[in-house]
Amino acid sequence: MTALTAAPANQLAVANPWSMVPPLGNLDAYISAANRLPMLSAEDEQKFARRLRDNNDLEAAGALILSHLRLVVSISRQYLGYGLPHGDLIQEGNVGLMKAVRRFDPDQGVRLVSYAMHWIKAEIHEYILKNWRMVKVATTKAQRKLFFNLRSLKQGFKADAAAQDASASHRDTLSESEVDRMASQLNVKREEVLEMETRLSGGDVVLDPGPADDGDEGFGPIAYLADAGMEPTAQLESRERDRLSSDGISTALDALDERSRRIVEERWLKVNDDGSGGMTLHELAAVYGVSAERIRQIEVAAMKKMRKSLAEYA
């Protein structure tokens, strides 16, 4: 493959612009190579940009991209504090750079470096928001602005507070005045500052942690957040109970003779005004002029007949 030359020093040959990119897996070598690539002059940049726009010249696009790889490396370093791999940040920034090169208009009177910065940062921002945590912490424009500015402003507030009071530097939460200042500086609502502060100070919680190291089932929010009543089997059982307690009971009572039905209703289906139960065996025995034991026998036989009717109904 033809190697990329750098003569003159301020111009990129475009026969094979990617030949100077080192093999995958060596980030330090990539950064070193990107920083060694010469920058394009304004005239060469205009020439390559027009070739890309007018002729869809991919070699010209490669020259524009290669000359700005160092810009992506520089911008990506600003986002190392989010705990994401530097190589991934550079990769996403390169995607933004390629989008910028594709959309760059050389007749607008600006250098590609100024135009590309927006696209590079936008792509890195999107990657961070999607991968910083399992749950996305910023969705609206105001939340995105807070996410990328709250920590830096908070550090500035702590430095100012520490200059006045040494104990204030150990305070992690924002004071009321700091919340108001931050909302004013970022042009967002005070409530949005408090909401983002809460999100950033918290962490992800695994709903279902799975088995613990000792083999026991892990305990997580899934254990108490799940609504057992909405489980399909539970819903079917509930509907069946409701059906049996209404239509099923009525059908079973219709199968009884008048005396057996009254005994069951008075004993189990009626409630007095004071909340107490129905008639006792002795009270029913006095009504029918028989012994309490006879009333009990009739009740047992009626219940047996009702259970058979309910089984048939179900």
Side-chain angles (χ1 to χ4, degrees):
M1 298 177 66
T2 305
L4 180 68
T5 61
N10 67 339
Q11 182 175 346
L12 285 173
V14 293
N16 184 14
W18 301 108
S19 59
M20 282 191 66
V21 179
L24 295 176
N26 193 332
L27 181 61
D28 291 336
Y30 172 88
I31 293 175
S32 177
N35 289 329
R36 288 199 309 269
L37 290 169
M39 298 291 292
L40 290 174
S41 66
E43 293 77 12
D44 289 333
E45 183 179 289
Q46 289 282 312
K47 179 182 67 175
F48 288 135
R50 285 189 170 86
R51 284 171 53 183
L52 173 61
R53 183 193 62 185
D54 300 337
N55 305 316
N56 197 30
D57 189 334
L58 297 184
E59 290 184 346
L64 292 170
I65 292 170
L66 277 176
S67 65
H68 289 81
L69 289 180
R70 67 175 68 194
L71 174 65
V72 176
V73 172
S74 177
I75 293 176
S76 66
R77 287 197 181 99
Q78 302 171 19
Y79 299 94
L80 291 176
Y82 292 97
L84 297 172
H86 191 193
D88 290 350
L89 294 172
I90 292 175
Q91 176 176 278
E92 296 301 319
N94 285 341
V95 173
L97 173 61
M98 287 184 274
K99 290 181 178 180
V101 167
R102 171 57 67 182
R103 292 167 173 80
F104 180 59
D105 185 355
D107 295 331
Q108 290 296 319
V110 297
R111 293 295 300 269
L112 177 58
V113 63
S114 301
Y115 181 76
M117 287 181 65
H118 164 77
W119 289 92
I120 295 169
K121 288 183 177 181
E123 209 68 28
I124 293 177
H125 285 184
E126 191 65 26
Y127 167 74
I128 292 173
L129 289 173
K130 287 181 178 179
N131 295 274
W132 188 61
R133 283 191 183 158
M134 292 176 62
V135 179
K136 198 169 184 178
V137 296
T139 54
T140 66
K141 183 178 179 180
Q143 289 173 351
R144 293 167 70 97
K145 184 189 297 184
L146 280 166
F147 179 84
F148 288 106
N149 290 280
L150 188 143
R151 290 198 302 179
S152 58
L153 286 176
K154 189 175 179 180
Q155 291 297 323
F157 291 159
K158 288 179 66 175
D160 294 341
Q164 301 176 9
D165 182 3
S167 62
S169 62
H170 301 290
R171 180 166 43 82
D172 292 329
T173 58
L174 293 169
S175 65
E176 294 294 323
S177 61
E178 289 172 345
V179 171
D180 293 334
R181 285 173 57 194
M182 187 173 294
S184 176
Q185 289 186 30
L186 297 178
N187 193 27
V188 296
K189 295 179 181 179
R190 187 176 186 277
E191 293 75 15
E192 291 174 324
V193 176
L194 294 173
E195 172 68 18
M196 184 54 64
E197 168 73 0
T198 302
R199 294 186 184 187
L200 293 178
S201 60
D204 293 329
V205 177
V206 180
L207 285 177
D208 188 2
D213 294 337
D214 56 4
D216 295 335
E217 284 295 324
F219 182 78
I222 195 69
Y224 53 84
L225 290 179
D227 185 0
M230 298 304 293
E231 199 272 327
T233 303
Q235 287 189 314
L236 291 173
E237 291 177 350
S238 177
R239 291 173 188 171
E240 184 67 11
R241 283 195 303 270
D242 292 342
R243 189 173 69 89
L244 289 176
S245 63
S246 54
D247 299 341
I249 294 296
S250 298
T251 301
L253 286 172
D254 291 340
L256 302 177
D257 60 79
E258 183 179 349
R259 183 175 64 172
S260 298
R261 176 168 181 159
R262 184 185 177 191
I263 289 174
V264 172
E265 288 178 340
E266 293 290 350
R267 288 277 291 150
W268 302 104
L269 301 180
K270 288 189 177 180
V271 179
N272 296 326
D273 294 337
D274 60 359
S276 60
M279 298 175 68
T280 65
L281 292 174
H282 292 284
E283 290 172 339
L284 287 169
V287 171
Y288 288 103
V290 296
S291 66
E293 176 59 22
R294 179 58 184 154
I295 295 296
R296 189 192 67 79
Q297 292 173 357
I298 295 173
E299 178 186 1
V300 170
M303 288 293 188
K304 184 177 180 180
K305 192 172 184 178
M306 286 183 67
R307 280 193 292 270
K308 181 179 179 181
S309 297
L310 284 173
E312 294 174 353
Y313 181 82

